[in-house]
Amino acid sequence: MLTGYPRADGRKGIRNILAVAYLVECARHVAQEIAGSFRNEPVHLVGFSGCYPSPYAQRMMQRICTHPNVGAVLLVSLGCESFPREALAEAIQQSGRPVEILVIQQAGGTSRSIQQGQTWVRQTLQELRGAKRVPMGIQELVVGTICGGSDATSGLTANPACGYAFDLLLQAGATCIFEETGELIGCEHFLAQRAMNPQVAEQLIQAVQKAARYYKAYGHASFASGNAEGGLTTIEEKSLGAYSKTGRSPITGYLKPGQLPGGPGLYLMDLVPDGPPMWGFPNICDNAEIAELIACGVHLSLFTTGLGSVVGSAIAPVLKVCANPDTYRRMSEDMDINAGRILEGQATLEQVGREIYERTLAVASGQPTASERLGHQEFILTYKHFSWEVPGPVLCRQTD
């Protein structure tokens, strides 16, 4: 049995974080100074830098600020940006969380704003410290997966081991979400064969084909120079590795960023914007994708890497699974699990997969990940466009 923090909407969080959220780049410094004053406390900095109105950013910020891992929120506004701060504050308040709006122009500038924000955070942390963990079932857990810094070992060790862990989690009743449609090009029909109904199958195909069109328009796929240096040769080869992270279970449904799963099962999150290319390369970095997974309710993410990555995330823990044994030896401080043991014959894929499964449950019950111990709290949110209501999330439950 896991444990978590109960929320008013019925969900439970595996962390109890106070989020300091800036609503425009002009407010970042003040927010960063406030959050930085509580370095050894569960205070995380998140935010949106843009001033131009963005329904996508508004939806993302609302989902993140009412995420089950979040216990309270301080909104930091300059005062003249386009972000609807009152609407966001109301949504947070209705979710049962303490929330405060700090408007720099009204508070009297930088120093006074920082002081006021620190006072509110300090007082609110006292309230959060009194929260007690309660029993939490695995069926209440939402786990995401993502890869970064992939090399030729990723598709042989860490990725399929995470897929095996996904299958174990799904068998236990959890919800699992994978994404990176730009790294599934060529695998869309494999995905469709696992869909639980024809509508989901069509959405999976369309999502991957949209990614291919988007990348063609930019003349660049989700393939970095480091991937080639690490031994990967084509996007198709990388796609097969990414596909192995999804496991073998039936695919229940399809989501866009900010949509919550309709129930336990395996979901694809489509990260590529709808419509013609207009906001830049869709997966600007791994942490942008992690933020979108968080907005879909992910409690923690399984992050596979072959070349090595040091990133973590604000709000939701990141559990690192290292594919390459040499990388693990160089960067063991940043890694949680050495899947490279599979290559060296020291463990089977199934053994590492079960280790990932068991570590996931331990992290969900409070055990810190390597990135948490090192203080990593990366976060990025950019402009994108999605039409969430068309077609909307689709799921299909199995019947007895």
Side-chain angles (χ1 to χ4, degrees):
M1 178 68 71
L2 311 178
T3 60
Y5 297 97
R7 305 301 181 197
D9 64 3
R11 294 186 293 173
K12 296 184 179 72
I14 65 171
R15 299 292 185 268
N16 200 25
I17 291 163
L18 191 156
V20 178
Y22 58 90
L23 305 182
V24 66
E25 180 64 24
C26 308
R28 178 200 284 265
H29 174 73
V30 168
Q32 189 166 295
E33 288 296 301
I34 295 169
S37 303
F38 301 91
R39 183 175 178 83
N40 297 318
E41 300 282 356
V43 178
H44 291 194
L45 180 70
V46 298
F48 176 61
S49 293
C51 189
Y52 187 82
S54 172
Y56 163 77
Q58 183 179 349
R59 186 184 187 105
M60 289 283 290
M61 288 294 288
Q62 181 173 327
R63 289 298 191 200
I64 289 165
C65 290
T66 59
H67 188 279
N69 288 356
V70 173
V73 183
L74 173 65
L75 301 177
V76 184
S77 162
L78 175 62
C80 54
E81 69 275 358
S82 298
F83 199 100
R85 58 178 181 267
E86 298 291 345
L88 178 57
E90 182 179 357
I92 297 169
Q93 187 175 41
Q94 290 179 353
S95 75
R97 293 164 172 81
V99 60
E100 178 78 1
I101 301 177
L102 177 62
V103 181
I104 298 169
Q105 291 170 348
Q106 297 173 10
T110 298
S111 298
R112 291 179 181 177
S113 298
I114 292 172
Q115 185 177 13
Q116 290 181 32
Q118 289 170 335
T119 299
W120 188 87
V121 170
R122 189 175 298 109
Q123 294 172 347
T124 307
L125 279 174
Q126 291 292 340
E127 298 177 26
L128 295 185
R129 290 190 186 102
K132 303 296 183 183
R133 299 183 78 107
V134 300
M136 174 180 175
I138 295 180
Q139 71 276 8
E140 299 176 87
L141 186 65
V142 186
V143 181
T145 186
I146 180 174
C147 59
S150 299
D151 69 5
T153 69
S154 297
L156 302 175
T157 60
N159 287 2
C162 276
Y164 188 88
F166 255 30
D167 288 337
L168 293 177
L169 287 163
L170 290 161
Q171 290 167 18
T175 299
C176 295
I177 304 176
F178 66 98
E179 42 90 45
E180 296 173 317
T181 46
E183 296 178 13
L184 290 168
I185 294 172
C187 297
E188 57 266 36
H189 296 290
F190 298 142
L191 293 170
Q193 290 170 7
R194 292 164 52 196
M196 291 183 66
N197 65 43
Q199 186 178 3
V200 171
E202 182 61 23
Q203 287 181 320
L204 298 174
I205 292 172
Q206 292 297 323
V208 178
Q209 291 179 348
K210 178 178 66 171
R213 290 194 302 271
Y214 209 100
Y215 289 169
K216 183 177 181 180
Y218 278 107
H220 195 293
S222 183
F223 198 93
S225 58
N227 297 144
E229 293 169 3
L232 288 172
T233 60
T234 61
I235 186 61
E236 289 82 5
E237 184 180 359
K238 191 178 183 184
S239 293
L240 289 170
Y243 176 79
S244 68
K245 293 205 309 297
T246 69
R248 300 182 178 182
S249 301
I251 300 174
T252 307
Y254 163 91
L255 303 167
K256 295 181 182 181
Q259 288 183 320
L260 301 179
L266 178 62
Y267 294 80
L268 167 69
M269 183 193 75
D270 182 1
L271 62 82
V272 177
D274 294 334
M278 60 185 295
W279 296 121
F281 205 51
N283 51 336
I284 187 172
C285 72
D286 297 326
N287 284 97
E289 298 171 37
I290 292 174
E292 291 181 327
L293 285 169
I294 294 170
C296 288
V298 162
H299 287 96
L300 73 155
S301 294
L302 308 179
F303 190 119
T304 66
T305 183
L307 296 169
S309 175
V310 300
V311 302
S313 174
I315 309 301
V318 172
L319 194 153
K320 295 276 186 46
V321 182
C322 188
N324 191 317
D326 292 334
T327 301
Y328 184 85
R329 283 186 278 270
R330 286 196 308 272
M331 301 180 64
S332 59
E333 178 188 42
D334 290 278
M335 303 299 159
D336 295 284
I337 291 174
N338 179 13
R341 291 176 295 147
I342 298 170
L343 279 184
E344 297 182 328
Q346 298 175 5
T348 65
L349 187 150
E350 291 78 11
Q351 287 172 330
V352 174
R354 183 161 290 279
E355 181 182 355
I356 296 169
Y357 168 78
E358 292 173 352
R359 188 73 64 86
T360 297
L361 300 186
V363 170
S365 284
Q367 183 183 103
T369 64
S371 63
E372 286 182 292
R373 289 194 300 269
L374 292 168
H376 283 282
Q377 296 179 14
E378 288 83 356
F379 184 87
I380 184 171
L381 180 59
T382 61
Y383 283 100
K384 279 189 178 182
H385 170 73
F386 288 93
S387 300
W388 290 282
E389 289 71 27
V390 184
V394 171
L395 73 155
C396 177
R397 297 182 185 274
Q398 288 180 308
T399 56
D400 295 330

